[in-house]
Amino acid sequence: MNRHIVFVTHELDPIVPGGAGTVGAELARRLVGTGHTVTVVLAVPTPPGLTPYGLDVVVVPDTATNGTLVSFVDRSHRIAEALANLIASRGLPDLIEFHDFDIPAWWTLTHREELGLSATRIGIRLHGPVGAMTDAMGVAPPPMGEVGELEALLFGMVDLVMVPSEAMRSWAQDRYALEGDRIVLAPVPIPDVAPVVWSPAATPEFIAYGRLNEVKGSH
């Protein structure tokens, strides 16, 4: 059965690199490959010059007339308007999935009935909430503190919260007081890897590829 799935994001590999952009692009590619219809609503300062994997990408400019970035709430308003236009031209999607950070889902969820999305499932994929990052850093410069508080509200309003692991399920349930049946285990799509034959070294050595810090949890 063909389903129409909409991803809403600020990142999309290779247009805007990043973990959320890589996950979203790979999920979209796999869904298209199995016969589903995927639309990506991408909020970026500059329209991209390429469309990866032949995806249907709707660009939402997030800059004001003077070239500065719009506020988090204004950006979420522009995203909601893009979703309304998408629905008017193509009908209601089966699922809309937002990423978590910088509250792209704010306007859509607070104006859900007005947008005609009461019957459409809406999910948020947990990548790296701003609130969790500012807690780890011990400081929340404006407007990051407010964004973290709004993120917590959105997790309580959404139909589904997608988490990459059982450990993150427990963490999200405890931190945001979520009902267990709204948390969905959705592992990050990664290619199959060949097993490596190894034996423990006399002196164990740990190698981290990428950033090793408390903010991203790799510590």
Side-chain angles (χ1 to χ4, degrees):
M1 179 180 177
N2 176 276
R3 296 185 182 276
H4 183 197
I5 300 165
V6 176
F7 290 102
V8 182
T9 180
H10 305 142
E11 299 178 355
L12 183 66
D13 183 70
I15 298 170
V16 181
T22 301
V23 170
E26 180 63 14
L27 280 171
R29 183 187 69 80
R30 293 189 183 196
L31 287 167
V32 169
T34 55
H36 297 291
T37 301
V38 175
T39 302
V40 179
V41 176
L42 176 64
V44 289
T46 305
L50 73 164
T51 302
Y53 314 119
L55 296 177
D56 175 25
V57 179
V58 176
V59 176
V60 179
D62 62 357
T63 50
T65 53
N66 62 359
T68 60
L69 290 175
V70 298
S71 71
F72 295 109
V73 172
D74 286 344
R75 180 194 291 163
S76 73
H77 188 189
R78 294 185 180 192
I79 288 170
E81 289 179 332
L83 287 173
N85 292 333
L86 185 66
I87 292 166
S89 61
R90 307 183 200 180
L92 288 171
D94 296 286
L95 171 69
I96 302 174
E97 179 183 313
F98 291 84
H99 72 212
D100 52 358
F101 55 90
D102 291 351
I103 59 168
W106 176 254
W107 196 273
T108 300
L109 286 173
T110 55
H111 295 74
R112 187 170 185 172
E113 290 190 13
E114 178 185 328
L115 292 167
L117 291 172
S118 299
T120 297
R121 301 187 86 187
I122 300 178
I124 294 179
R125 182 173 293 270
L126 198 152
H127 288 282
V130 169
M133 295 183 188
T134 55
D135 283 357
M137 292 186 293
V139 61
M144 294 178 73
E146 292 84 350
V147 171
E149 292 177 6
L150 296 180
E151 282 175 344
L153 291 176
L154 292 182
F155 283 127
M157 295 167 65
V158 79
D159 300 315
L160 306 169
V161 176
M162 292 87 153
V163 296
S165 67
E166 288 291 351
M168 289 304 296
R169 182 202 295 272
S170 299
W171 180 87
Q173 192 167 3
D174 292 342
R175 180 182 176 90
Y176 299 108
L178 300 174
E179 299 90 347
D181 59 351
R182 290 199 301 116
I183 306 176
V184 177
L185 184 61
V188 175
I190 58 173
D192 293 333
V193 294
V196 175
V197 178
W198 64 281
S199 58
T203 303
E205 195 173 10
F206 179 77
I207 299 174
Y209 179 73
R211 290 182 293 182
L212 180 61
N213 57 48
E214 186 175 354
V215 171
K216 289 291 188 178
S218 50
H219 73 299

